[in-house]
Amino acid sequence: MTDQDAFTGSPANPEVDAYIRKLEHPLKRLIEEVRALILQSGVPLAEGIKWNAPNYSHQGEDRLTFNLRGKGGAFRLIFHCGAKVRSDAREGRLIEDDAGLLEWASDDRAILTFHDAEDAEAKKKRLAGWIRKWVEAAK
C-alpha cells in the first residue's frame, strides 16, 4: 500500500482509531480535531503509531508526530524530516511562520503546542497550509 492509497482509500488508520479510543488526555477532543485536520489537509499522508503517538508520513518519510505528554495537559505536534539529520538539508527554516506560532527546535524541526481550545483556534486555521508547505519543503 502506498501513502496515496492510505490517504484516499482510508484516511483514518484503524490502529490509530483504537489508540485514540483508549487515550486518556484532558484535551482528547482537541487531539481528535487536530487529527481530522491533518487527515483532511489535502496532503497524502499515511497515518500510523510511532513513538507511542499518532505519526504521519509522506512517501515513506515521517513528517508529523504528535507528542501527547506536554506539561499542564498541553500536547504538541512536531513537524520534522525524520529521525536522522539529512545531509542534503537546506539552510534556514524549512517554512515561514509569519504569525510566530511555531517554536523552532532547529531549522528542520518545528513544534506547534496546543494548550487549550481557545489557544488552538488560530493554530487550527493555519494547520493545513503549514502541512502542505512542510511536506513540499521537506522533499
Side-chain angles (χ1 to χ4, degrees), residues 110-124:
I111 301 164
L112 185 60
T113 302
F114 294 90
H115 297 281
D116 55 40
E118 184 178 327
D119 166 66
E121 283 312 304
K123 295 170 182 175
K124 289 188 323 185

Side-chain angles (χ1 to χ4, degrees), residues 21-37:
R21 270 193 307 276
K22 295 176 186 175
L23 180 65
E24 292 184 22
H25 194 285
L27 297 177
K28 182 175 180 173
R29 175 180 258 161
L30 184 54
I31 292 166
E32 292 171 322
E33 290 175 21
V34 170
R35 176 188 181 212
L37 289 170

Side-chain angles (χ1 to χ4, degrees), residues 62-131:
D62 294 333
R63 294 295 174 245
L64 301 163
T65 305
F66 276 94
N67 178 320
L68 302 176
R69 296 178 295 261
K71 294 179 181 177
F75 69 93
R76 302 182 299 176
L77 184 63
I78 313 299
F79 290 74
H80 58 92
C81 295
K84 297 179 182 175
V85 176
R86 293 172 40 172
S87 61
D88 63 343
R90 67 180 219 190
E91 278 193 43
R93 291 186 173 159
L94 210 52
I95 65 171
E96 294 295 320
D97 170 25
D98 296 334
L101 297 173
L102 295 172
E103 175 188 338
W104 292 90
S106 65
D107 286 343
D108 66 352
R109 187 177 186 86
I111 301 164
L112 185 60
T113 302
F114 294 90
H115 297 281
D116 55 40
E118 184 178 327
D119 166 66
E121 283 312 304
K123 295 170 182 175
K124 289 188 323 185
K125 290 177 185 174
R126 291 177 170 85
L127 186 57
W130 282 330
I131 292 170

